[in-house]
Amino acid sequence: MDGATGPRPAWHRRVWSAASLVVVFAVVEYVVLPKLTLARESLDRVAHLNPAWVIAGITLETCCLVSYSLFTRALLGRGQVRFSWILRTDVTGYGVSHVIPGGAATATALRFRLLRAGGARPANITATITAEAVGSYVALLLIAWLTSIPALFLRDATSAYLIMFLIGLAALACGVLAVRERSALERFAAGVLRASLSRLPRRTRPWIASVALRLRDLLADHEVRRAFLLWATLNWLLDACVLWTFLAAYGEPISPIPLLLAYCAANLAAAVPLTPGGIAVVEGIAISSLLGFGVDSQAAVLAVLSWRLVQFWGPVPVAGLCYLSLQAQSATAHAKQD
């Protein structure tokens, strides 16, 4: 056994050392240094970012939050709650949904309590939150479908755009006709929707049916339709402008069509509750979509991360301040009543 485990020849040790050095140099040269170079270049681009772009992005995101609160006020009814209270309530719920497990349910309950404290009636609050949950994503779907129309005329358009357009057109036509259900054509459209619903997994049917009923009630009110088309749509478009702002800031401004396609794809995927607030899902799909449209990889990553920093994480500390101000105002009002 001693002979089998004796010292290795000197030439063997020298060859092993040389091979190890070659491997180390190869790893450093082709793996470590390129990563450090990319990181350094990214830091340089961030360090030399024009502050005006950041200010523009924050301003647009602020307008985005304001438009959502205007949507809330339109659904809630004018005069019930002051707009400043609605805005702070919405920002509070928005921030809570990003930092607490089960954030959407917690944020909904918190918004209900705060709007109730602000003077809104419980029935109106429930109807408003339900209409927002449905109407907001319907507005996003509408934007995605309308964007698919000019996308069909792009030079590098694919069959996916045509399929998206045709599916959206059929769903829109059937939905509009089925709401009234008075003529034979409208009854046929309602039958098509019911037949499509029956082919879906059994567990999803009640949820989709309830959403369809809520959407029908939502679109039955003229004022609600106008608020939905104006404020809910503007909320998404302003947020998409924030993403474009950071793409332009990093030297990669793109046309509105690929921007909206990438933006809608990322946010529609976030509707599936895989991660809290769509973390990693939104970033991954947005970056990969932008890369598919020819955006520089480094600029795409930096722009999406900057956008998410402003859009997702930026309102969190502001939400804390809004909540404290609401609590202080409510305590002051109770003290005056006593």
Side-chain angles (χ1 to χ4, degrees):
M1 183 176 294
D2 292 341
T5 59
R8 296 178 178 179
W11 65 268
H12 190 280
R13 292 195 298 271
R14 286 195 292 270
V15 169
W16 179 256
S17 299
S20 300
L21 286 175
V22 169
V23 171
V24 170
F25 280 128
V27 170
V28 171
E29 176 69 21
Y30 295 105
V31 178
V32 177
L33 288 181
K35 296 294 185 183
L36 291 176
T37 302
L38 288 175
R40 185 168 58 251
E41 291 176 356
S42 299
L43 290 175
D44 288 341
R45 295 184 75 166
V46 173
H48 291 88
L49 184 64
N50 190 335
W53 289 112
V54 179
I55 295 173
I58 294 174
T59 302
L60 286 169
E61 193 60 42
T62 302
C63 294
C64 172
L65 296 173
V66 170
S67 66
Y68 189 85
S69 293
L70 289 170
F71 185 38
T72 303
R73 185 178 69 172
L75 295 176
L76 199 59
R78 291 178 178 271
Q80 289 197 37
V81 186
R82 286 179 297 176
F83 180 71
S84 62
W85 188 281
I86 295 175
L87 178 61
R88 286 177 289 166
T89 297
D90 286 343
V91 173
T92 300
Y94 190 71
V96 166
S97 66
H98 291 173
V99 296
I100 294 179
T106 305
T108 299
L110 180 59
R111 286 183 66 206
F112 184 94
R113 183 168 64 83
L114 291 175
L115 288 173
R116 183 75 182 88
R121 293 188 292 271
N124 290 343
I125 300 172
T126 302
T128 295
I129 293 177
T130 302
E132 283 178 330
V134 178
S136 183
Y137 276 101
V138 169
L140 182 62
L141 283 169
L142 183 62
I143 293 171
W145 178 70
L146 291 175
T147 306
S148 70
I149 299 175
L152 292 173
F153 301 98
L154 292 176
R155 185 175 58 185
D156 54 349
T158 63
S159 57
Y161 297 147
L162 179 60
I163 294 173
M164 181 190 303
F165 169 73
L166 293 177
I167 292 175
L169 181 62
L172 181 64
C174 290
V176 170
L177 291 174
V179 168
R180 299 174 62 185
E181 210 171 315
R182 294 175 183 172
S183 67
L185 181 60
E186 291 162 352
R187 288 194 292 272
F188 171 76
V192 170
L193 290 179
R194 284 193 290 268
S196 302
L197 185 62
S198 66
R199 295 180 179 274
L200 294 173
R202 189 177 299 275
R203 292 182 179 179
T204 63
R205 294 177 197 172
W207 179 81
I208 294 177
S210 64
V211 169
L213 290 174
R214 292 171 188 169
L215 180 60
R216 185 182 65 182
D217 296 337
L218 171 69
L219 297 178
D221 190 319
H222 174 71
E223 292 297 325
V224 171
R225 285 201 304 270
R226 186 170 63 179
F228 154 72
L229 290 174
L230 177 60
W231 300 121
T233 304
L234 188 61
N235 170 254
W236 292 113
L237 292 177
L238 287 171
D239 192 36
C241 288
V242 179
L243 176 57
W244 183 91
T245 298
F246 284 109
L247 283 169
Y250 292 111
E252 289 288 332
I254 60 175
S255 64
I257 302 306
L259 172 77
L260 288 175
L261 289 173
Y263 177 83
C264 291
N267 283 281
L268 286 172
V272 181
L274 298 176
T275 59
I279 295 177
V281 175
V282 172
E283 290 85 349
I285 293 179
I287 291 172
S288 60
S289 300
L290 291 173
L291 293 178
F293 288 117
V295 177
D296 174 70
S297 59
Q298 188 181 83
V301 171
L302 290 175
V304 169
L305 293 181
S306 300
W307 161 58
R308 288 290 277 173
L309 180 64
V310 170
Q311 179 244 24
F312 189 89
W313 297 109
V316 171
V318 180
L321 296 176
C322 288
Y323 179 73
L324 292 176
S325 69
L326 289 171
Q327 292 296 99
Q329 186 174 345
S330 180
T332 303
H334 284 305
K336 289 182 179 179
Q337 290 177 359
D338 295 340

